[in-house]
Amino acid sequence: MNGCVHYAIEACATGLHARLDGVAAWNWSADLAPFLEKLSADFRGWDGERVWQTIDRDLTVRAVFRSGGHVGLTWTLRPWRMSVGSWEASVTTWLEAGEQMSALAADVRHFLGQEAGHGG
């Protein structure tokens, strides 16, 4: 697979509906699936925050590790094509650091159409 993958991201909750079309994941950049796989491999934890973002910074994922073996992933949508300060939406999900993180990484890799062990 060459070039990039374009996809839409949607966040919905009571009183919230944010959709961002045209998010681009370039294959030559640090992909989301390997980022999530690294988090699942570090199931014993880490200090501080780990961050992944698209080149255009319209999607950012921030990961923190908490006691009890849980990872908080904050997914932030911020359309770069719009004027500065137009809108931003964040959703935080909490997952078990080992099995649930591994499953998420596999699902993301499948969604992006990447083979296991290959960035693109």
Side-chain angles (χ1 to χ4, degrees), residues 43-61:
F43 63 90
R44 289 191 176 102
W46 62 86
D47 292 327
E49 179 180 76
R50 295 185 180 177
V51 179
W52 175 91
Q53 60 188 188
T54 59
I55 292 198
D56 296 331
R57 297 185 184 144
D58 43 9
L59 171 62
T60 301
V61 180

Side-chain angles (χ1 to χ4, degrees), residues 14-45:
T14 304
L16 168 71
H17 184 209
R19 181 179 172 95
L20 185 55
D21 293 307
V23 174
W26 294 91
N27 292 335
W28 45 264
S29 68
D31 293 340
L32 179 57
F35 172 77
L36 295 172
E37 289 166 350
K38 174 92 169 102
L39 296 177
S40 68
D42 292 342
F43 63 90
R44 289 191 176 102

